[in-house]
Amino acid sequence: ALLDELTATDLGLSPSHLPAAPAIGYQHIYEDQDLSVGIFMLPKGTSIPLHDHPQMTVLSKLLFGKLDVVSFDMPSDHAQVQGRHKLDEFGLLKGRHPRKLHCGPCKREVLEAPAPTEWLHPLQGNIHQFTALEDCAILDILTPPYEDAAGRSCHYYKVMEPAAIEASSIDEHRGRPFCSVDDEGEVDLVEVAWPIDLQIVQRRYKGPSVK
């Protein structure tokens, strides 16, 4: 309930702090071994493509703006952490093929601030995509945080057409991941490398300190 009442002003944030598109801003607020807190700032028309949150719970509070949210549930047979692996230069785990997930229909909602806090669970809604319909700011609280060494690496995905499901080369899927919200049935997602047009820039957090 307290998070629902939080405003951009409480965090010292205004639309003037957003970077110029196509960049997406990120203000890091706090992190320890149990949680990570930060703010994503999305100029109108920018997107954070489909990505997952392995074994994590995430609270997302839209502070201002209008946001299109598309999500998939994580299949239960892919929900476990992966153990220790090294990442290659494309942000993919070395020594394995790209992950492929068979998911139920995607879910879509449009949020407009002020809006209730969104919850994401280890299974429910764990894979999602944000697209800014207006300039937006989103407070994200992740517990536990991403941690490659603990098997909680972030993976990006693309919705695959049936004929492309068996493609083996990750370089064939380096375009921006997307979700076709017209699909009413089950879909297959394939892991892709860090999207080449996803630009996230660090911005200094100027709000109240968190301890």
Side-chain angles (χ1 to χ4, degrees):
L2 291 177
L3 197 57
D4 286 339
E5 299 173 2
L6 195 66
T7 68
T9 302
D10 294 332
L11 298 173
L13 186 67
S14 75
S16 64
H17 294 143
L18 270 70
I24 292 171
Y26 180 73
Q27 292 185 357
H28 179 74
I29 298 177
Y30 177 82
E31 184 167 347
D32 61 24
Q33 64 180 5
D34 296 318
L35 81 161
S36 175
V37 183
I39 301 171
F40 284 98
M41 298 171 289
L42 285 72
K44 180 179 178 180
T46 60
S47 177
I48 301 178
L50 284 173
H51 62 283
D52 64 8
H53 311 77
Q55 287 293 302
M56 298 158 65
T57 298
V58 180
L59 286 73
S60 297
K61 169 61 178 175
L62 182 63
L63 299 170
F64 61 76
K66 190 174 182 180
L67 188 69
D68 182 271
V69 181
V70 172
S71 65
F72 293 93
D73 292 344
M74 174 68 73
S76 59
D77 57 344
H78 283 81
Q80 71 275 12
V81 296
Q82 300 169 3
R84 292 179 177 270
H85 295 278
K86 293 183 178 180
L87 301 180
D88 66 15
E89 64 269 30
F90 299 115
L92 293 170
L93 295 178
K94 291 182 177 180
R96 65 165 179 79
H97 295 292
R99 290 159 58 101
K100 294 176 182 176
L101 308 179
H102 186 69
C103 300
C106 64
K107 303 169 186 175
R108 180 180 183 180
E109 58 182 334
V110 174
L111 304 178
E112 187 167 6
T117 303
E118 293 283 295
W119 286 75
L120 173 158
H121 302 273
L123 293 179
Q124 184 178 351
N126 190 271
I127 305 165
H128 69 189
Q129 169 181 289
F130 290 156
T131 301
L133 303 179
E134 300 174 354
D135 289 347
C136 292
I138 307 157
L139 174 69
D140 258 7
I141 302 175
L142 289 69
T143 179
Y146 285 114
E147 175 57 58
D148 293 336
R152 295 190 302 273
S153 301
C154 182
H155 312 91
Y156 289 89
Y157 297 92
K158 180 176 181 178
V159 176
M160 295 300 299
E161 297 298 331
I165 294 300
E166 299 303 322
S168 58
S169 172
I170 194 66
D171 290 328
E172 296 178 28
H173 308 298
R174 295 218 49 199
R176 191 180 194 88
F178 68 95
C179 175
S180 172
V181 296
D182 295 327
D183 293 336
E184 297 181 354
E186 297 180 344
V187 298
D188 289 286
L189 306 183
V190 65
E191 182 186 358
V192 297
W194 179 281
I196 57 177
D197 56 349
L198 176 59
Q199 303 176 37
I200 297 181
V201 296
Q202 296 291 325
R203 288 289 186 265
R204 182 182 176 187
Y205 171 65
K206 299 180 179 180
S209 61
V210 176
K211 298 182 179 179

